[in-house]
Amino acid sequence: MIIEINGERRELDRSRVLADAIRDWGYEGQPIAVAYNDEFVPRGRYAAIQLRDGDRLEIVAPMQGG
Amino acid sequence: MTTAPFWEIGGRQVRSRLLLGTARYPSLAVLQQAIRASGAEIVTVSLRRESAEGRAGRQFWTTIKELGVQVLPNTAGCKTVKEAVTTAEMAREVFETPWLKLEVIGDDYTLQPHPFLLVEAAEELCRRGFTVFPYTTEDLVLAERLVQAGCKILMPWGSPIGSGQGLNNPYALRTLRARYPEIPLIVDAGIGKPSHAIAAMEMGYDGVLVNTAVARATDPVSMGRAFGLAVEAGRLAYLAGAMPTQEMAEPSTPVTGTPFWHSSSPEPLK
């Protein structure tokens, strides 16, 4: 299945929940926030979201801003 | 570090009336030194897409946390209410603060705020419990709509972001101050030099938000300090009460007892 992460398509070998995907991708321990199909997902709900083919994720972290 | 008295903004007590942006500095080290030198206690931050391999976000966030300053996350780049609200929610979780500098841009060339979408986004975010610092124009009626939406702070632009033009519409900024004596007003955007910051503070503005003017100075650390001093000087001047301007000269040196007084007119040209 294909998931879009930050505008880039990524192949996922099997379906999994968002929490596992974030860990597998190496985001664990990073100060990140996630939007799932354009909706904000609080950290506590990562385990409840089953990723499906065609889902879109925005994964953001702090940066400099004015 | 300033010894200025505390003032309240967004439910917090701070001394410095300078809010500093964190973007466009030559390095994180210079950024950190510039913030320290400026005395700013509130700094703006943002969010960006992070790749799994990327560690820039954590590095930046660690740098900011070391300073012990209050962060004001922005929604830079947002052009719709939906984007602004989602970005705000993500910022609240990452930065652990309800404070939000709300930007909804309506024009790419001037980065002018979109007045209608700004009000709509402000209403929604106030409803969701955010402390909204709206980046707005100097428009009085728009300001009123933002206040009705629940904003307790207003941040009118001085001139377009990053332009360094200073205060393009002093009349409208003075009018805002006069019409909202109780609402914290911060000039955000367009400040290019400490003299612009002083001008805003002399008008009675509660603070100024500066980024590029410090970050892109030849020496950002010294410029940070210059802005810290300027904001304090401007505030003091406002409280001290400036003299009224007059059309004609009025001698500052007392004329009584002036030698040769009235004995001669200016010498005619030969």
Side-chain angles (χ1 to χ4, degrees):
Chain A
M1 60 189 238
I2 302 284
I3 302 278
E4 195 182 297
I5 305 168
N6 291 340
E8 286 179 13
R9 291 155 61 85
R10 188 186 284 231
E11 180 83 44
L12 217 59
D13 54 356
R14 59 183 169 81
S15 174
R16 66 193 85 179
V17 294
L18 180 57
D20 292 342
I22 281 174
R23 192 199 53 231
D24 295 349
W25 291 329
Y27 281 111
E28 217 171 29
Q30 300 286 338
I32 56 159
V34 177
Y36 170 70
N37 292 335
D38 304 325
E39 298 289 339
F40 166 67
V41 185
R43 221 171 270 143
R45 284 195 48 225
Y46 291 173
I49 291 192
Q50 187 72 41
L51 295 178
R52 290 176 214 289
D53 190 45
D55 278 347
R56 287 185 317 279
L57 292 173
E58 291 284 335
I59 302 180
V60 297
M63 71 171 278
Q64 293 83 336
Chain B
M1 193 62 192
T2 175
T3 53
F6 283 103
W7 66 295
E8 195 185 307
I9 179 82
R12 281 183 73 107
Q13 302 276 325
V14 292
R15 287 185 191 273
S16 173
R17 289 171 179 272
L18 174 64
L19 290 76
L20 203 58
T22 57
R24 312 182 80 181
Y25 290 80
S27 68
L28 281 181
V30 171
L31 163 65
Q32 204 169 33
Q33 288 169 43
I35 293 172
R36 285 210 180 97
S38 74
E41 292 160 82
I42 300 168
V43 302
T44 54
V45 293
S46 197
L47 288 173
R48 75 163 157 218
R49 287 171 163 179
E50 182 85 314
S51 67
E53 308 77 38
R55 295 290 180 269
R58 181 157 67 182
Q59 207 183 352
F60 168 69
W61 187 213
T62 303
T63 303
I64 295 300
K65 281 199 283 194
E66 277 171 14
L67 291 162
V69 289
Q70 166 71 39
V71 293
L72 174 58
N74 70 24
T75 60
C78 289
K79 291 181 180 170
T80 67
V81 174
K82 171 88 176 160
E83 281 172 12
V85 170
T86 305
T87 304
E89 291 284 6
M90 292 196 287
R92 180 158 64 177
E93 186 176 74
V94 168
F95 295 112
E96 297 172 340
T97 176
W99 281 23
L100 186 80
K101 174 179 160 177
L102 176 60
E103 288 183 41
V104 186
I105 299 302
D107 178 67
D108 283 336
Y109 290 90
T110 58
L111 298 180
Q112 180 165 335
H114 193 302
F116 311 116
L117 300 184
L118 181 65
V119 169
E120 210 179 304
E123 269 168 4
E124 180 58 28
L125 290 167
C126 288
R127 201 176 302 131
R128 293 182 184 215
F130 285 88
T131 303
V132 177
F133 293 57
Y135 162 62
T136 182
T137 66
E138 74 279 25
D139 189 281
L140 178 62
V141 181
L142 172 54
E144 180 55 31
R145 292 288 286 111
L146 289 166
V147 170
Q148 286 170 7
C151 297
K152 304 214 161 30
I153 296 154
L154 294 171
M155 299 210 295
W157 65 351
S159 52
I161 295 174
S163 72
Q165 293 175 25
L167 311 182
N168 273 354
N169 194 345
Y171 163 77
L173 291 173
R174 278 196 303 272
T175 305
L176 273 185
R177 180 71 289 176
R179 298 281 284 129
Y180 295 103
E182 303 299 331
I183 289 193
L185 294 179
I186 294 165
V187 170
D188 175 13
I191 301 259
K193 295 183 275 200
S195 54
H196 300 152
I198 294 186
M201 296 306 293
E202 283 177 352
M203 280 180 192
Y205 271 70
D206 294 279
V208 298
L209 201 167
V210 180
N211 188 348
T212 309
V214 172
R216 286 296 167 93
T218 308
D219 176 355
V221 179
S222 295
M223 192 58 88
R225 178 161 152 73
F227 268 100
L229 294 169
V231 165
E232 203 169 333
R235 178 65 185 175
L236 267 178
Y238 169 69
L239 294 175
M243 61 162 282
T245 54
Q246 302 187 108
E247 279 301 309
M248 295 297 161
E250 200 175 290
S252 46
T253 304
V255 290
T256 319
T258 306
F260 317 115
W261 192 58
H262 275 183
S263 67
S264 63
S265 304
E267 200 170 359
L269 293 170
K270 292 194 176 78

